[in-house]
Amino acid sequence: MTISENTKGLVLAMASSAFIGSSFILKKKGLKRAGATGARAGVGGYTYLLEPLWWAGMVTMIIGEIANFIAYIYAPAVLVTPLGALSIIISAVLAHFLLKERLQKMGVLGCLSCIVGSVIIVIHAPQEHTPDSVQEIWDLATQPAFLVYIATIASLVLALMLYFEPRYGHVNILVYLGICSLMGSLTVMSIKAIGIAIRLTLEGVSQVAYPQTWLFVTVAVVCVITQLNYLNKALDTFNAALVSPVYYAMFTTLTIIASAIMFKDWSGQNANTIVSELCGFITVLSGTIILHSTREQQPVSSQGSVAWYITGDSMKGIEEHLITISNSHYTEG
């Protein structure tokens, strides 16, 4: 019995979602263990690099990404990409049982909205032309429209890093994940260029000598490192059941926008397709707002405590928990 190529792609895409969804939980547990013995990733610590469970999550994520990459070889993107939403469900279910992070009913609705909206966007996204060389991708990357997009992304990322992160990073999930998603859209474009370079080189047309190839490699490395850093902060600070769907929705949306601008795929679409895409964007935005508004509140400790982080003679930060006084135990003298 011969297995069709679409079936192979379907199996690989589903396996990819399982690995990636599980990786969120492994990394979260690793971050929790690391935070118990040193500075948390959310306050700039890197002790998680010494935690085996975090590395297990990293390896699991890499396996999932490799499976996802191979899936695109066998099946079309319209089949593979929407299945990435399965990682959200897997992550949320595992977080409920393994991390005891309860997802409220409205949170479930928000999760479903993110999935439905993202699937609508992907299904109705325009087909892109696949470049035949790194030079062709370079020409697309240096066209005025995409250069404006790059400048916009760079400005937003710098604003989030320098202004919003110090003030709102620990209370607004969109700050960390915004950085991840914005950089992620550039990562996908660079990875696509690298993939084409590898394919052409294996076919006998070497792309190693082209400086553009190495520039794309540099951009991909910088973007991936930045994504991992801020994804760790998001996982360490917020509920894993919320990080996964919000990140998926924002990343998918921005990647489709970047691809459409770079490859000029928006031209030639009919009105029905455009309306469907707009509905997808609105659905994703609504789901993100619902998820953010229903973020599970952490219980306040009844004991007062002060945690100090000091290096040398300088105080890096103070984390204070206020003493809660119950009215039922309070009596006026």
Side-chain angles (χ1 to χ4, degrees):
M1 180 179 178
T2 303
I3 301 176
S4 67
E5 298 213 334
N6 267 12
T7 301
K8 293 178 182 178
L10 175 63
V11 172
L12 285 167
M14 293 179 65
S16 170
S17 295
F19 278 113
I20 293 175
S22 301
S23 73
F24 276 95
I25 307 305
L26 290 172
K27 290 173 69 176
K28 177 76 173 183
K29 290 181 73 69
L31 288 168
K32 281 189 172 183
R33 287 187 182 181
T37 58
R40 297 169 51 202
V43 295
Y46 293 94
T47 54
Y48 61 85
L49 294 175
L50 302 176
E51 177 55 52
L53 202 55
W54 184 85
W55 282 108
M58 275 298 301
V59 172
T60 303
M61 177 174 283
I62 291 172
I63 293 173
E65 294 297 347
I66 292 174
N68 191 59
F69 177 78
I70 299 175
Y72 281 103
I73 297 176
Y74 293 104
V78 71
L79 172 64
V80 176
T81 307
L83 291 176
L86 294 176
S87 65
I88 298 174
I89 301 173
I90 293 170
S91 179
V93 172
L94 291 178
H96 176 79
F97 291 105
L98 300 180
L99 300 179
K100 309 303 180 184
E101 295 181 352
R102 186 173 62 87
L103 189 62
Q104 301 176 13
K105 291 182 179 179
M106 288 301 295
V108 174
L109 176 61
C111 183
L112 292 175
S113 297
C114 286
I115 295 173
V116 171
S118 297
V119 170
I120 291 173
I121 292 173
V122 172
I123 289 177
H124 294 281
Q127 298 295 321
E128 65 179 17
H129 165 67
T130 302
D132 297 322
S133 68
V134 171
Q135 182 61 50
E136 185 177 348
I137 290 188
W138 178 255
D139 293 338
L140 294 172
T142 54
Q143 60 183 310
F146 195 69
L147 289 177
V148 170
Y149 177 80
I150 293 175
T152 303
I153 293 296
S155 300
L156 290 173
V157 168
L158 287 175
L160 288 170
M161 287 182 175
L162 301 178
Y163 180 81
F164 290 98
E165 182 191 354
R167 294 168 175 80
Y168 310 109
H170 291 278
V171 296
N172 194 321
I173 195 174
L174 299 180
V175 175
Y176 291 146
L177 295 186
I179 296 173
C180 290
S181 302
L182 290 166
M183 297 295 283
S185 66
L186 298 181
T187 300
V188 173
M189 302 300 104
S190 300
I191 292 297
K192 187 176 184 65
I194 296 169
I196 290 176
I198 293 174
R199 186 199 69 193
L200 292 174
T201 301
L202 293 176
E203 291 176 353
V205 184
S206 178
Q207 304 291 304
V208 176
Y210 290 93
Q212 293 92 334
T213 300
W214 298 105
L215 180 59
F216 283 125
V217 170
T218 302
V219 172
V221 170
V222 171
C223 290
V224 167
I225 291 175
T226 304
Q227 283 179 260
L228 289 176
N229 183 36
Y230 283 93
L231 181 58
N232 285 331
K233 291 185 176 183
L235 285 170
D236 192 46
T237 307
F238 300 100
N239 191 316
L242 300 181
V243 170
S244 182
V246 173
Y247 180 45
Y248 170 81
M250 295 176 66
F251 172 77
T252 302
T253 301
L254 288 169
T255 298
I256 290 175
I257 293 174
S259 180
I261 294 175
M262 185 169 176
F263 298 108
K264 298 180 179 180
D265 292 326
W266 294 107
S267 59
Q269 287 190 290
N270 57 45
N272 291 336
T273 301
I274 294 175
V275 170
S276 297
E277 291 168 6
L278 290 176
C279 290
F281 275 99
I282 294 172
T283 305
V284 170
L285 180 60
S286 300
T288 303
I289 293 173
I290 293 173
L291 282 167
H292 186 51
S293 63
T294 57
R295 181 167 65 91
E296 185 178 64
Q297 298 296 323
Q298 298 296 326
V300 181
S301 173
S302 59
Q303 300 295 327
S305 63
V306 179
W308 302 79
Y309 300 93
I310 302 177
T311 301
D313 297 327
S314 64
M315 182 173 66
K316 294 174 67 177
I318 300 176
E319 182 181 357
E320 297 184 353
H321 300 281
L322 299 178
I323 301 176
T324 302
I325 303 177
S326 175
N327 290 332
S328 62
H329 292 88
Y330 178 79
T331 307
E332 290 188 4

